[in-house]
Amino acid sequence: MEGSDLLPFVGCSPVPPASSEPCKAPGMGGICEGLIDGPGGDGWRDLPEFAESLIARIADLFGAAREGLVCMCLHPRRPARASSDYRIVAASGRFAHLASQRLTDIDDPHVSASLSKALRERRSAIGERAATLFFPEPDGAGFAALLAGGEALRDVDGQLLTAFRTSIALSATHIRQTARLREFAFVDQMLGLPNRAAFIRALDKAIANGRIAGRTVGLIDIDQFVEINDMFGDQYGDILLGSIARRLAEALREHCLIARVAGDTFAVFGDDARVTPDRLHPLFARPFEMEGVAHPVSVCMGFVRCGEGAESGTVLLKNASIALKRAKAEGQGKSGYYSAAVGIRIREHSRLLHELHLAYERRHLSLVYQPQVSLSTGATLGIEALLRWRTEDGDFVPPDVFVPIAERSGLIVDIGAWVLCTALRALSALDRAGFPGLRMAINVSAAQFAQAGILEKLDHALDKAGIAPDRLELEITESVAVVGMKDVADLLGQIRQRGISVAIDDFGTGFSSLSYLDSLPADRLKIDRSFVALLDAARPGGRIAETIVSLGHRLDMTVLAEGVENEAQAAMLRALGCDAAQGYLYARPMPLEELPAWLERQQDSPGRGT
Ligand code: C2E
Ligand code: MG
Ligand code: MG
C-alpha cells in the first residue's frame, strides 16, 4: 500500500480541503494546533503566501491591476498527475471567490480552460482579456497564474518574461523542497503520521507554551509485532500498522496528537482524562480486518502524566518508555504509569551500568580472596575470589548491587573472563610464594554459561596460568538453571570431566533447591550464610543447616558453611559433620598481597575454629 493512500484515513488529505484552511498534519488534534510541522504545517503554508505575493509582484512589475489567481499542485509528496491535483492557491480581485477551488471545480469556463491549457501545453498565452503565465519547475512540474487585463503584458519583451517566469518557478521549487525536507524530518513516510522527532518537538512546544499541565503521554506498543512480521511478512505488518494508525486517528485525532515513534510503537498526547489505559485499551478490543481475515491485536501501554514539572519532550517520552518497559515485563496486554520512584531507580541503574563499563575498561575492578578451611583439621583448603569495585570517589559498591546489573547487561561475560584469568594468576603467584596446592573458587553467573565456548575459555585460562584443572572450582547458583536445566547439566558434566570442581553456592535460598540439586552434578554444597546465622541463636533454624549437611553427604558432596562468624557456629557445624567453612571467624576477604602473611599464620596455628 502506498504511503500516501493512507493519508486520507489519518486525518490529512494530500491537498488542502475545500475551505481556505490549511491542511492539518495527520494525527493533529485541536489541542495540538500549532504544535506540529509536516504536510500542511508551516512549510506547506509558505506556498499559498508566496502565490499571493506573486500576483502583486507581476501586477506591480508590469503595471497591471492586482487581479488574478495562481493555480498549483500542493501535494506534499509528488508532482501533479491529473487536473484534479491542481488548486487555486491564491486569488484576488474579481477572482477572489475561486480561492481554494480545485481546477476541475471552477465554473468559469474561460478561467479553467486557460489554466488547463497553460498547464497541459506548458506555455504562456497573452490575450486581450487576460494573460496566462506558465512557470516551469525543474522537477517536471509547473504552475500557472492568470492575470486580468492581458494588454499590460503584451509589450513585455519575450526574453524578459521568460527570465522572470524561470526565476519565479525556481523560488517556488525552493519552497517546495524546503517543505519536503521538513516533512522528511518530521513525518513518518509510511503512515503519514508525525514521527518521533515531530512528537518530541510538539511536546517541547507545549511545554514552552505552558500547555502541558493536565496532559498525558501514552505509548502503545503492539505485542509480538516481530513475530507477526516473521510469520506473515513485513508487508502484512505494514498493513496492520496502517490499520492501527487509522483506528487511533478515527478515535482520537479530534483531541489528541498521534505519532509513530518507533517501528511498532505509537504515541498519544492529550488530556489526562482521555489518554488512559481504560480509554485506549478498548480501541483494540475489536480485531483488525486484514485481507478479509480478522486479526486480534493486543498491546502494552506506558503512560506518563506530564504535570507542571515536565522538563522536555525527550524526557517525557523516555519516562513513558520506562512505564512501557515495565508493563511489557508483566506480560501481554498490560499497561502502567510512570512513577518518579521507578524512574529514579532505573536512572540509578543505568548510571551504575555506565560507570561499571568505565570501571571495567579502566581496570578499577579488583579481586579479594577469602580462605576456605577444613573444619576438622583447620587447614586451608582453598580460597574464593570475590569482586570489588571501588568508584572514583573511593567508595566501594557492593557486588550484590553491581553483579546483578552486570548480569542483566551481559557485561558479566567480559568481567567473568577477567575474574577467571586474574584469580588463576593469583593462584600461580601463591604457588610461587610457597603456598602450593590451594584451590581457587570463582563465582560464575548464568550468562557465562549461556555464552558459546565456555569450555574452551576455561581450558585456555588454565593453560595460560599453568594451573591443573582440579585446582579450579566454579561456584554456581540456582540462577544458572534458567539457561535450561539439561544444557547446564551437560555442561557441568563436561566441566567436571576435565577435573574442574563445581560448588552450589547459597544453597537453600532458591525456590526449587531440591529438584535442582538432583539434576545438576556438583562436588560441593555451600550452606548459605543466612542458615549459619541461625545456628547460634539456638532456634529451630539450625535444623536447616543440619538437613543440608546430611543431604549433601547423601548426594556424595562435601558441604561448606558460608558466613561463619564465631566459634560457637564453627563448633555446631563440626558437630553436624560439616566439612569446611568460610567466614569472618577465619578471615575477611583480603587483597592478594595480604594472603601470604595470613596463610603463614594459619600454617603456624591451624587450630582456630577447629
Ligand atoms: P557469595 O559468592 O555467596 O560470596 C560470599 C559473600 O559472603 C561475600 O560477599 C563475602 O564477603 C561474604 N562473607 C564472607 N564471610 C562472611 C561472614 O562471616 N559474614 C558475613 N556477613 N558475610 C560474609 P560479597 O563479597 O559482598 O559478595 C556478594 C556476592 O556477590 C557473592 O556471594 C557472589 O554471589 C557475588 N559475587 C562476588 N564476586 C563475584 C564474581 O566474581 N562473579 C560473580 N558472578 N558474582 C560474584
Ligand atoms: Mg560464592
Ligand atoms: Mg554464597
Side-chain angles (χ1 to χ4, degrees):
M1 187 185 294
E2 202 184 291
S4 58
D5 294 336
L6 285 172
L7 280 175
F9 298 108
V10 288
C12 179
S13 65
V15 284
S19 76
S20 59
E21 241 192 352
C23 167
K24 277 183 188 169
M28 189 172 100
I31 66 149
C32 304
E33 201 84 53
L35 296 182
I36 274 291
D37 244 5
D42 298 346
W44 291 96
R45 271 199 286 272
D46 291 347
L47 271 179
E49 256 171 48
F50 161 81
E52 247 163 58
S53 73
L54 175 62
I55 300 170
R57 275 172 71 189
I58 302 175
D60 295 352
L61 194 65
F62 301 112
R66 285 189 176 193
E67 212 166 10
L69 46 78
V70 177
C71 180
M72 276 183 168
C73 169
L74 281 190
H75 197 291
R77 284 150 217 274
R78 57 170 170 79
R81 289 185 191 142
S83 309
S84 55
D85 287 342
Y86 287 98
R87 267 174 198 275
I88 306 302
V89 293
S92 59
R94 67 182 144 96
F95 301 109
H97 68 287
L98 298 179
S100 301
Q101 288 199 8
R102 277 177 204 274
L103 176 57
T104 42
D105 296 341
I106 293 175
D107 64 358
D108 180 328
H110 172 69
V111 170
S112 64
S114 308
L115 289 172
S116 298
K117 188 163 185 278
L119 290 167
R120 198 173 52 246
E121 296 177 3
R122 304 174 65 78
R123 276 199 303 145
S124 300
I126 307 204
E128 298 250 327
R129 289 168 58 196
T132 317
L133 300 181
F134 178 74
F135 297 84
E137 289 185 75
D139 60 359
F143 61 95
L146 184 139
L147 287 144
E151 63 279 6
L153 281 96
R154 283 206 111 145
D155 303 329
V156 176
D157 176 74
Q159 269 186 335
L160 176 66
L161 199 58
T162 306
F164 172 78
R165 288 190 298 122
T166 311
S167 96
I168 292 291
L170 275 174
S171 305
T173 303
H174 178 70
I175 292 173
R176 254 187 231 283
Q177 278 170 348
T178 311
R180 239 174 244 147
L181 278 179
R182 247 195 253 199
E183 189 198 320
F184 255 104
F186 292 108
V187 176
D188 179 276
Q189 295 301 304
M190 188 175 86
L191 300 181
L193 284 177
N195 63 12
R196 183 184 187 85
F199 192 72
I200 289 176
R201 240 171 66 138
L203 294 178
D204 284 338
K205 274 193 194 177
I207 293 170
N209 300 341
R211 286 162 60 189
I212 197 80
R215 303 258 151 84
T216 292
V217 170
L219 287 179
I220 304 170
D221 187 277
I222 305 164
D223 290 328
Q224 294 194 301
F225 187 71
V226 176
E227 285 77 5
I228 294 171
N229 262 344
D230 285 351
M231 211 180 303
F232 303 106
D234 292 355
Q235 232 186 340
Y236 189 90
D238 289 352
I239 297 173
L240 180 62
L241 288 172
S243 311
I244 293 173
R246 272 199 294 282
R247 193 174 291 177
L248 288 175
E250 275 159 18
L252 305 168
R253 72 169 160 232
E254 282 306 309
H255 308 284
C256 301
L257 171 67
I258 306 159
R260 180 161 80 137
V261 292
D264 62 337
T265 312
F266 293 91
V268 181
F269 172 56
D271 288 347
D272 285 346
R274 285 182 204 280
V275 184
T276 68
D278 289 350
R279 290 281 192 109
L280 299 187
H281 267 303
L283 297 179
F284 295 87
R286 203 163 27 94
F288 289 81
E289 191 76 17
M290 304 276 298
E291 295 169 345
V293 181
H295 188 121
V297 166
S298 90
V299 294
C300 279
M301 301 196 237
F303 297 86
V304 58
R305 287 193 189 89
C306 303
E308 296 285 357
E311 279 171 54
S312 68
T314 313
V315 171
L316 283 174
L317 205 55
K318 206 169 180 186
N319 291 347
S321 310
I322 288 172
L324 176 64
K325 227 182 245 167
R326 284 174 63 86
K328 282 168 85 166
E330 277 178 34
Q332 294 184 20
K334 298 287 189 227
S335 55
Y337 277 85
Y338 168 83
S339 81
V342 169
I344 289 168
R345 212 164 51 233
I346 286 184
R347 265 186 269 278
E348 176 69 5
H349 267 203
S350 47
R351 188 184 61 79
L352 269 182
L353 179 59
H354 173 70
E355 284 180 14
L356 184 58
H357 266 283
L358 290 181
Y360 172 64
E361 279 159 20
R362 294 175 184 168
R363 300 174 190 275
H364 288 176
L365 296 182
S366 60
L367 289 182
V368 287
Y369 301 91
Q370 188 177 35
Q372 298 175 332
V373 300
S374 156
L375 272 171
S376 52
T377 67
T380 307
L381 303 171
I383 38 186
E384 178 177 3
L386 294 158
L387 262 171
R388 289 293 175 265
W389 172 17
R390 194 184 196 137
T391 63
E392 302 277 344
D393 311 332
D395 300 328
F396 280 103
V397 182
D400 291 337
V401 172
F402 74 82
V403 167
I405 293 175
E407 283 173 341
R408 249 175 280 151
S409 71
L411 182 59
I412 197 69
V413 172
D414 288 343
I415 294 180
W418 174 83
V419 167
L420 173 67
C421 293
T422 310
L424 290 178
R425 253 201 331 268
L427 202 56
S428 67
L430 288 173
D431 284 352
R432 288 194 302 277
F435 305 98
L438 291 170
R439 187 182 62 218
M440 179 64 76
I442 62 163
N443 294 280
V444 181
S445 298
Q448 292 172 264
F449 273 96
Q451 67 175 320
I454 181 168
L455 292 170
E456 291 72 18
K457 279 187 187 165
L458 286 168
D459 292 343
H460 179 73
L462 286 164
D463 229 33
K464 212 167 129 202
I467 298 286
D470 61 2
R471 296 180 60 201
L472 175 64
E473 180 154 293
L474 304 186
E475 294 194 2
I476 60 168
T477 61
E478 230 174 305
S479 67
V480 301
V482 300
V483 175
M485 203 67 113
K486 167 116 186 22
D487 292 348
V488 176
D490 288 352
L491 209 52
L492 291 179
Q494 295 185 58
I495 285 170
R496 292 180 71 215
Q497 256 171 19
R498 283 165 159 72
I500 300 171
S501 56
V502 172
I504 294 180
D505 206 352
D506 304 339
F507 185 74
T509 55
F511 49 89
S512 60
S513 302
L514 279 180
S515 57
Y516 162 82
L517 198 59
D518 204 31
S519 23
L520 295 185
D523 302 274
R524 205 175 325 281
L525 212 52
K526 292 186 80 176
I527 309 176
D528 188 73
R529 64 172 184 262
S530 55
F531 303 122
V532 174
L534 292 174
L535 280 175
D536 56 346
R539 276 182 283 156
R543 306 254 293 275
I544 298 175
E546 185 181 353
T547 310
I548 296 175
V549 172
S550 56
L551 185 69
H553 288 164
R554 289 269 288 278
L555 293 169
D556 281 338
M557 298 188 209
T558 58
V559 181
L560 183 149
E562 290 187 295
V564 179
E565 295 185 352
N566 56 49
E567 295 282 358
Q569 289 168 343
M572 288 180 79
L573 285 161
R574 203 174 304 111
L576 293 176
C578 183
D579 306 282
Q582 175 182 353
Y584 296 168
L585 172 64
Y586 310 98
R588 289 189 176 251
M590 64 188 103
L592 180 62
E593 309 81 78
E594 291 174 19
L595 255 182
W598 184 91
L599 288 167
E600 209 152 310
R601 277 202 308 278
Q602 189 72 0
Q603 272 174 357
D604 293 345
S605 58
R608 204 153 29 122
T610 62

